[in-house]
Amino acid sequence: MSVCSTVDPCLCPLCGQANRCAMEAPAHEQAQAACWCTREQFSAALLRQIPDAAKGKACICQTCVQKAAQAT
């Protein structure tokens, strides 16, 4: 399986679904308000799952954050 060289900041790097990050949405789609992710806790274990190519470039989606929280 090849790794895509371009990271889409609007897709979750773990599951590939839309991450709904308000900070990455184009300004014409919605106001640049604080994103849901600013109110979430991201465990170190969850953050280690992000592929190196996507670190600092794409947000994890809320579904993946919630699944990780339930697993602990």
Side-chain angles (χ1 to χ4, degrees):
M1 177 181 202
S2 67
V3 175
C4 185
S5 61
T6 304
V7 175
D8 186 336
C10 294
L11 298 179
C12 175
L14 301 181
C15 70
Q17 298 300 311
N19 57 26
R20 301 187 194 284
C21 180
M23 293 180 272
E24 291 300 335
H28 68 274
E29 286 185 19
Q30 64 188 45
Q32 295 296 313
C35 185
W36 65 267
C37 65
T38 63
R39 297 178 298 277
E40 291 287 339
Q41 294 287 346
F42 293 81
S43 70
L46 180 62
L47 295 174
R48 283 193 296 271
Q49 294 177 39
I50 301 172
D52 287 340
K55 288 183 179 176
K57 297 178 182 169
C59 294
I60 298 170
C61 73
Q62 196 167 22
T63 300
C64 286
V65 173
Q66 290 172 346
K67 284 181 184 177
Q70 291 173 355
T72 57

